[in-house]
């Protein structure tokens, strides 16, 4: 599959192949079991058919249900192919790998499996009787079926009780984030000092932090950088920096990360954030910030925007499940502000523009021309001597030329002071904006977002001021709305395929309605073992379970119909009992083999690289 796609192996492609693993196992076991059973039956009856004919008929017998089941599963994942953005970046490669694995398995089952069966089973003895494992599985299934036949009401009540338990568990399931916390061994510590923090101060603090981080058991290496490079794509000043912490793969990951967070939190005056690289990039792609929930406040007057953002932050902090809510205030730096006193300037015959131009030339410099030399162009700048701008007092003492030929000090005609000035004005949707960010813990993200939307309706915004919910939830909601129409069309196609295979609207309706019951076990497992937390990997697991259940239904009903056509005098109850007993071994073998294939991931998969597959 990976060779056909021409992509390298990664977590997403592996997850897609793991979904298809149960289907591949199903193809192998069902086909071989049916071929072996038909060969045994033919030899017991002593017919004159050749082994090649018997194997061909057995393979054809299974092709119809397997083909229908494969097409239905392809339709089920088709809406995923229409996702966009980050959601599509994750689900589309997974769905593509899944689809290609299904098709490859189907081709192998139709060509390679019959050929190998003829090669290895055509002349084999195939003595009657089950293997110990098959016999045990058939005995368990037969005993369960016999009990259900003798006490149908009790069996029905038991099934309903399990179903009700699963349905009751659904409201307690939550999805805090689409992605798990990846155990990357490379962490990035982002921190930012005060707007007036100098390069020597930041360098000293970063050096001390690097030494302390390097002394933590499990930390392999630490590197750092301050500010930004000339060609960097980041908008950071010299008061911001990053520390890159490399963790030894053999170390206790959780304990080491906790120690790193503790160390960087002990430096006052900084705002540290410890993330893995993948976490930071994915969340920035979702909302432009590092948090999963973002409320963006729009407007023009920064004071009003700031006031409303603080009001939003207060009600966010009161919502259950919201942690670390804060206002992302615009970055500010000490700025020299000069305000000309028009009346005082007039006394000296000066215009406000004359004062500003003279002061700007001495403090900031002004381009007065260009110098051309050997095809190079150099700007000619008039600028004051360094001592004229090294303090607020020296700037206030600047001498301004007057029209009468005299001089006047800048402080005599203008108010010169240091004020906080915004260094970056963020704009979006043709308006200024401030973000209020938060994370979600211990509660479903959709439920928290619903409370946030309700709270935003209670806040009164002036005309042309508004707030909008962004972040991971907004992306997920947009993806759901886009996929909904395709999902409805796919569901209709699945129902029509069920009717075409069963040739009964009633049976197709029963299967279509009851098939999701196969997910009850997964719901209970997620609730009991995972604390009700659903992740990307959990959703993948539900798809895998649904695929196996669908194929089991098709093979069982196909067997019932085959027995009905060739044993018409037998009652339907006996046909169901016989068909179930014949298919019980391969059905249970598929479940057991698939479970054994995933068992190492359950027992030893709590490591970096398997965060998606293990759930």
């Amino acid at each position: 599959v990976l060779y056909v796609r021409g992509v390298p192996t990664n977590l997403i492609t592996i997850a897609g192949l793991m979904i298809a693993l149960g289907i591949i196992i199903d193809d192998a076991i069902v086909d071989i079991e049916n071929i072996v059973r038909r060969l045994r039956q033919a030899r017991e009856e002593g017919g004159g058919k050749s082994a090649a004919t018997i194997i061909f008929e057995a393979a054809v017998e299974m092709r119809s249900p397997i083909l229908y089941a494969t097409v239905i599963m392809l339709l089920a994942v088709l809406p995923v192919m229409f996702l966009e953005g980050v959601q599509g970046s994750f689900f589309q490669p997974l769905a593509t790998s899944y689809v290609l694995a299904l098709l490859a398995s189907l081709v192998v089952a139709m060509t390679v499996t019959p050929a190998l069966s003829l090669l290895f089973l055509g002349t084999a003895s195939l003595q009657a009787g089950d293997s110990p494992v098959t016999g045990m599985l058939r005995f368990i299934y037969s005993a369960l079926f016999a009990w259900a036949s003798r006490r149908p009401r009790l069996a029905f009540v038991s099934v309903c009780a399990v179903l009700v338990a699963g349905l009751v568990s659904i409201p307690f399931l939550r999805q805090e984030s689409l992605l798990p916390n990846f155990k990357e061994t490379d962490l990035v510590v982002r921190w930012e000092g005060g707007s007036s923090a100098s390069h020597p101060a930041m360098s000293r603090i970063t050096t001390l932090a690097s030494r302390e981080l390097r002394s933590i058991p499990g930390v392999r290496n630490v590197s750092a950088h301050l500010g930004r490079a000339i060609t960097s794509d980041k908008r950071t000043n010299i008061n911001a920096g990053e520390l890159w912490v490399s963790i030894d793969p053999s170390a206790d990951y959780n304990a080491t990360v906790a120690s790193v967070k503790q160390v960087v939190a002990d430096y006052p005056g900084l705002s540290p954030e410890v993330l893995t690289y993948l976490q930071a990039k994915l969340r920035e792609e979702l909302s432009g910030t590092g948090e999963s929930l973002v409320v963006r406040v729009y407007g023009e007057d920064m004071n009003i925007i700031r006031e409303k953002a603080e009001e939003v932050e207060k009600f966010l902090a009161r919502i259950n499940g919201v942690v670390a809510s804060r206002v992302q205030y615009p970055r500010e730096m000490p700025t020299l502000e000069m305000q000309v006193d028009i009346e005082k300037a007039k006394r000296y015959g000066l215009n406000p523009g004359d004062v500003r131009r003279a002061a700007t030339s001495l403090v900031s410099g002004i381009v007065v021309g260009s110098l051309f030399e050997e095809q190079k162009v150099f700007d000619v700048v008039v600028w004051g001597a360094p001592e004229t701008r090294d303090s607020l007092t020296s700037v206030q003492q600047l001498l301004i030329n007057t029209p009468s030929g005299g001089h006047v000090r800048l402080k005599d005609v203008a108010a010169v002071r240091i004020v906080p000035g915004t260094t970056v004005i963020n704009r979006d949707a043709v308006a200024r904006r401030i973000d209020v960010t938060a994370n979600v813990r211990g509660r479903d993200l959709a439920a928290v977002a619903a409370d946030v939307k309700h709270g935003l309706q209670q806040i009164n915004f002036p005309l042309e001021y508004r707030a909008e919910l962004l972040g991971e939830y907004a992306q997920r909601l947009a993806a759901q709305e886009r996929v909904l129409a395709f999902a409805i069309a796919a569901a209709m196609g699945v129902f029509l395929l069920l009717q075409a295979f069963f040739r009964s609207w009633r049976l197709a309706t029963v299967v279509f309605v009851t098939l999701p019951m196969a997910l009850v076990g997964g719901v209970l497992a997620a609730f009991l073992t995972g604390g009700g937390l659903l992740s990307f990997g959990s959703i993948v697991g539900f798809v895998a379970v649904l695929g196996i259940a669908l194929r089991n239904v098709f093979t069982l009903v196909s067997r019932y119909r085959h027995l009905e056509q060739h044993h018409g005098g037998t009652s339907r109850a006996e046909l169901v009992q016989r068909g179930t007993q014949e298919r019980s071994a391969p059905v249970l073998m598929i479940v057991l083999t698939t479970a054994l294939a995933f068992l190492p991931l359950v027992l030893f998969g709590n490591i970096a690289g398997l965060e998606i597959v293990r759930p």
Side-chain angles (χ1 to χ4, degrees):
V1 171
L2 298 179
Y3 175 78
V4 172
R5 294 185 59 196
V7 298
T9 303
N10 56 45
L11 288 173
I12 306 303
T13 56
I14 290 176
L17 296 178
M18 294 301 285
I19 303 180
L21 181 61
I23 310 304
I24 297 172
I25 293 174
D26 183 286
D27 277 338
I29 292 179
V30 168
D31 285 344
I32 294 299
E33 189 277 337
N34 193 52
I35 289 173
V36 170
R37 184 176 52 79
R38 291 290 297 271
L39 286 173
R40 286 175 180 171
Q41 182 180 357
R43 291 175 184 178
E44 290 175 357
E45 296 175 355
K49 292 184 179 180
S50 63
T53 302
I54 297 173
I55 292 175
F56 174 77
E57 292 177 351
V60 171
E61 178 184 347
M62 299 306 302
R63 280 314 94 210
S64 178
I66 297 301
L67 185 60
Y68 271 92
T70 301
V71 174
I72 288 177
M73 286 185 289
L74 293 179
L75 272 179
V77 300
L78 183 62
V80 176
M81 306 304 292
F82 296 95
L83 284 172
E84 294 180 341
V86 176
Q87 308 275 355
S89 299
F90 271 87
F91 279 103
Q92 285 182 2
L94 182 145
T96 304
S97 298
Y98 176 62
V99 168
L100 291 178
L102 282 184
L103 296 177
S105 177
L106 180 64
V107 172
V108 169
M110 295 178 65
T111 57
V112 178
T113 300
L116 292 178
S117 299
L118 179 61
L119 183 62
F120 292 105
L121 303 178
T123 57
S125 59
L126 299 178
Q127 297 179 358
D130 294 328
S131 66
V133 176
T134 305
M136 179 185 66
L137 295 176
R138 199 184 298 276
F139 172 78
I140 294 174
Y141 203 92
S142 298
L144 183 62
F145 186 86
W147 172 82
S149 300
R150 291 192 302 269
R151 298 176 177 84
R153 292 184 178 180
L154 182 59
F156 179 75
V157 171
S158 302
V159 172
C160 289
V162 175
L163 178 61
V164 170
L167 294 176
V168 171
S169 302
I170 291 178
F172 297 96
L173 299 180
R174 68 186 192 278
Q175 188 175 358
E176 296 177 357
S177 178
L178 174 68
L179 302 174
N181 292 322
F182 294 101
K183 293 185 176 182
E184 294 180 80
T185 56
D186 291 321
L187 304 178
V188 55
V189 180
R190 295 175 175 173
W191 61 10
E192 185 174 343
S195 56
S196 60
S198 64
H199 180 263
M202 291 299 298
S203 179
R204 177 178 56 82
I205 296 174
T206 303
T207 301
L208 292 174
S210 299
R211 292 173 181 172
E212 192 172 355
L213 289 171
R214 197 174 286 110
S215 65
I216 296 176
V219 173
R220 183 170 50 183
N221 192 19
V222 178
S223 60
H225 72 265
L226 295 174
R228 68 179 181 91
I230 294 177
T231 57
S232 174
D233 61 342
K234 298 181 179 179
R235 297 177 300 172
T236 56
N237 210 329
I238 199 62
N239 64 319
E242 289 182 345
L243 289 163
W244 292 90
V245 182
S246 178
I247 299 177
D248 192 334
S250 60
D252 186 336
Y253 183 84
N254 294 329
T256 306
V257 173
S259 299
V260 170
K261 291 182 178 180
Q262 181 62 42
V263 167
V264 298
D266 289 341
Y267 284 84
L270 301 174
S271 53
E273 184 181 27
V274 181
L275 296 170
T276 64
Y277 180 76
L278 189 56
Q279 281 178 329
K281 299 306 292 182
L282 286 176
R283 288 184 174 177
E284 287 175 5
E285 185 67 25
L286 285 170
S287 59
T289 67
E291 284 72 21
S292 57
L293 197 66
V294 179
V295 177
R296 182 161 292 175
V297 182
Y298 297 92
E300 282 303 321
D301 190 324
M302 290 301 298
N303 293 327
I304 298 178
I305 299 175
R306 187 191 301 262
E307 177 185 342
K308 291 301 176 181
E310 292 172 350
E311 191 174 346
V312 170
E313 191 276 332
K314 288 180 181 179
F315 94 79
L316 275 182
R318 296 193 298 267
I319 295 177
N320 182 28
V322 172
V323 296
S325 62
R326 60 173 181 168
V327 179
Q328 300 282 6
Y329 292 105
R331 296 178 181 178
E332 295 179 340
M333 290 186 64
T335 305
L336 187 66
E337 181 183 78
M338 181 186 67
Q339 185 175 8
V340 179
D341 189 324
I342 299 178
E343 295 300 326
K344 291 182 179 180
K346 284 183 177 179
R347 297 174 191 172
Y348 297 95
L350 294 172
N351 294 321
D354 299 331
V355 178
R356 285 195 294 266
R357 189 160 40 249
T360 301
S361 301
L362 294 171
V363 176
S364 302
I366 184 171
V367 179
V368 296
S370 299
L371 176 63
F372 299 87
E373 183 178 346
E374 296 181 358
Q375 297 183 348
K376 296 179 181 179
V377 182
F378 301 92
D379 290 334
V380 178
V381 180
V382 173
W383 198 12
E387 58 268 17
T388 62
R389 58 179 185 276
D390 61 358
S391 68
L392 178 62
T393 302
S394 63
V395 174
Q396 291 175 336
Q397 296 295 329
L398 289 177
L399 296 178
I400 306 297
N401 296 327
T402 62
S404 62
H407 300 86
V408 62
R409 299 186 187 278
L410 179 61
K411 69 177 183 179
D412 293 334
V413 293
V416 182
R417 54 185 175 266
I418 295 178
V419 297
T422 303
T423 58
V424 176
I425 298 177
N426 295 310
R427 302 185 72 90
D428 190 17
V430 201
R432 294 185 177 185
R433 51 93 172 172
I434 291 181
D435 288 342
V436 183
T437 62
N439 284 318
V440 178
R441 293 290 183 272
R443 195 178 174 207
D444 184 64
L445 181 59
V448 174
D451 290 346
V452 173
K453 286 185 174 180
H454 182 265
L456 290 177
Q457 295 175 355
Q458 310 303 318
I459 298 178
N460 294 322
F461 288 93
L463 186 64
E464 297 185 353
Y465 290 80
R466 60 189 176 89
E468 181 181 8
L469 179 61
L470 301 175
E472 185 175 339
Y473 170 75
Q475 289 280 339
R476 188 191 307 175
L477 184 63
Q480 290 174 351
E481 293 176 351
R482 177 175 176 80
V483 169
L484 182 60
F486 299 102
I488 294 175
M492 295 174 60
V494 169
F495 181 74
L496 293 177
L497 284 172
L498 288 173
Q499 195 281 332
F501 176 77
F502 295 131
R503 300 175 185 175
S504 167
W505 291 103
R506 180 181 180 183
L507 187 56
T509 303
V510 170
V511 172
F512 185 81
V513 173
T514 59
L515 194 60
M517 292 183 184
L519 303 181
V520 169
V523 172
L524 292 176
F527 177 73
L528 296 176
T529 64
L533 183 62
L534 291 179
S535 67
F536 183 79
S538 304
I539 298 174
V540 167
F542 281 121
V543 176
V545 171
L546 189 63
I548 295 176
L550 179 65
R551 294 169 78 89
N552 286 339
V553 168
F554 271 83
T555 53
L556 274 173
V557 175
S558 177
R559 186 58 187 166
Y560 298 154
R561 291 170 57 184
H562 178 81
L563 292 175
E564 187 178 29
Q565 293 174 359
H566 294 81
H567 303 81
T570 309
S571 65
R572 289 195 171 185
E574 294 177 351
L575 285 178
V576 171
Q577 182 176 3
R578 179 178 175 182
T580 304
Q581 289 175 345
E582 290 179 356
R583 290 299 182 200
S584 62
V587 166
L588 290 178
M589 186 65 71
I590 291 167
V591 174
L592 182 60
T593 306
T594 306
L596 288 175
F598 282 93
L599 187 60
L601 298 175
V602 176
L603 298 179
F604 312 109
N606 192 20
I607 58 176
L610 297 178
E611 294 89 350
I612 288 182
V613 178
R614 189 170 187 260

